[in-house]
Amino acid sequence: MNQKHEDPGRVLPVLKNLQIGPCMDAAVDKKNLFVIGSNSIYSFDISSPENPVMLGKLSGLGNVRQIEVHDGFAYVTSREEGVFIIDITNPGKMVKVAHYDTLELGTGIAVNGSLAAVGNRQYGVEFADISDPGDPVFLGMVRTGEAQSVFLKDTLAVVGDWGTKEVVLVDISNPRDPKIISKVELDGYGDGVFVKDNLCFAATGHHARGWKIGDGKDSPY
């Protein structure tokens, strides 16, 4: 006879609180952790993950949203402030090397090689050449829906669109002339996206497509 067993799941223990207040995003680079929140970026040594040690803090970054770490630099979106590019080769003494003024509110950020993609809400996604991180150069843009997050894979940009509730695939083989090639509807507002092999994982915010405010299934936040 078949028996149905319910997995109660595991309770993940909190090993240590970083005690730096509200945070928006984090990225790991080798043995270092970089966290953004409250107008700042923080760096930690996580050689012993259960006992992270703060190395440095850099403030003055505005309304931070997402962070991507690549080749010794951190790329931080800051909504109305666009993107800050920070030299993190010395995590104890991080230095702002550039400020990139985006088309609209900088939300999502993705980096692949010398290409950066920035989600700009209603203005879709813009692409910049970051061959010289101290002097990023605008290449092109594509109007999707309400772009919140971006993931770059080979010659594709995968975009999580909030207002239109979908994932949008963009051909970026020529980033000066990106082209939308397909769209996938989501059961909720599109936000974070991640691609592994041939699978795309999409976060759908606080709502599902068929839910209505007040039915107990919807969050106003």
Side-chain angles (χ1 to χ4, degrees):
M1 185 174 74
N2 293 330
Q3 279 188 310
K4 182 177 180 181
H5 297 279
E6 291 188 6
D7 183 359
R10 294 177 56 193
V11 177
L12 300 178
V14 176
L15 298 180
K16 186 171 183 179
N17 189 323
L18 298 179
Q19 297 183 340
I20 56 176
C23 300
M24 283 300 296
D25 199 8
V28 172
D29 182 40
K30 299 177 183 177
K31 296 297 183 180
N32 293 316
L33 168 69
F34 298 91
V35 182
I36 56 172
S38 302
N39 187 46
S40 304
I41 180 173
Y42 305 83
S43 60
F44 294 85
D45 182 340
I46 54 171
S47 299
S48 298
E50 71 283 359
N51 188 35
V53 177
M54 183 181 285
L55 300 174
K57 173 184 176 180
L58 179 65
S59 297
L61 302 182
N63 188 10
V64 293
R65 180 70 167 80
Q66 289 189 18
I67 180 174
E68 185 91 348
V69 171
H70 177 73
D71 200 21
F73 293 89
Y75 299 81
V76 178
T77 53
S78 183
R79 292 178 68 79
E80 50 278 296
E81 295 290 338
V83 178
F84 288 102
I85 302 176
I86 301 158
D87 185 338
I88 56 170
T89 52
N90 180 355
K93 192 176 181 180
M94 298 176 286
V95 178
K96 283 185 281 187
V97 296
H99 174 227
Y100 180 78
D101 191 13
T102 50
L103 294 171
E104 207 229 49
L105 301 186
T107 55
I109 182 72
V111 176
N112 186 10
S114 62
L115 183 68
V118 185
N120 280 306
R121 299 198 324 156
Q122 304 295 346
Y123 274 73
V125 182
E126 67 178 289
F127 302 92
D129 182 344
I130 53 168
S131 300
D132 177 1
D135 186 23
V137 178
F138 174 82
L139 294 175
M141 58 88 68
V142 59
R143 292 290 290 267
T144 58
E146 185 182 351
Q148 291 288 339
S149 298
V150 190
F151 190 94
L152 296 179
K153 179 178 173 59
D154 302 325
T155 58
L156 281 179
V158 183
V159 184
D161 270 0
W162 184 264
T164 52
K165 303 177 183 176
E166 60 193 3
V167 168
V168 179
L169 300 183
V170 180
D171 180 353
I172 56 169
S173 51
N174 178 6
R176 295 182 183 276
D177 186 26
K179 297 184 182 300
I180 294 174
I181 55 176
S182 65
K183 300 180 180 182
V184 180
E185 289 188 352
L186 296 172
D187 186 23
Y189 294 155
D191 196 344
V193 285
F194 182 83
V195 177
K196 174 68 174 177
D197 298 326
N198 291 322
L199 291 176
C200 175
F201 302 84
T204 54
H206 315 283
H207 310 71
R209 187 176 294 276
W211 295 351
K212 297 179 181 178
I213 292 177
D215 66 0
K217 300 178 181 178
D218 192 286
S219 167
Y221 301 107

